[in-house]
Amino acid sequence: MAFFCTYGGSGAEGTFRTMKEILGMEPIETVAITEREIKEDTCDCKIEPFVRDVEEPFRKPSEPQ
Ligand SMILES: Cc1cc2nc3c(=O)[nH]c(=O)nc-3n(C[C@H](O)[C@H](O)[C@H](O)COP(=O)(O)O)c2cc1C
């Protein structure tokens, strides 16, 4: 499980906490991206490591990082 959140600017931590409580487990990764980061196109540096970590368990040993 991994959490991906877009938001205006507040509440992501509390939302993630509630989601963890409901699901009863820790996510392997979380990322929260503000509306501003999307509009200014500065969110790739958060999304790329998130995707890498989420894909990791599915990657074959021979595949490049
Ligand atoms: C009903 C509603 C409630 C929202 N509540 C919050 C909020 O509590 N905190 C926040 O930071 N942004 C809030 N937002 C802003 C959106 O989450 C934000 O614009 C987000 O980037 C939208 O992404 P999306 O178009 O992928 O849903 C709310 C938006 C709506 C429509």
Side-chain angles (χ1 to χ4, degrees):
M1 185 174 62
F3 299 154
F4 185 101
C5 170
T6 59
Y7 68 126
S10 67
E13 285 306 314
T15 299
F16 287 158
R17 205 164 37 243
T18 304
M19 290 167 75
K20 279 186 223 175
E21 283 166 14
I22 291 168
L23 291 159
M25 60 168 80
E26 286 289 321
I28 57 168
E29 187 62 277
T30 65
V31 69
I33 307 216
T34 63
E35 200 169 349
R36 185 176 177 175
E37 288 171 315
I38 293 166
K39 285 183 176 153
E40 293 180 353
D41 198 16
T42 56
C43 50
D44 283 359
C45 63
K46 287 182 168 179
I47 294 171
E48 281 162 11
F50 174 84
V51 170
R52 210 169 32 242
D53 286 353
V54 171
E55 283 183 342
E56 175 64 32
F58 303 100
R59 199 171 291 127
K60 292 179 192 140
S62 57
E63 285 179 17
Q65 295 288 309

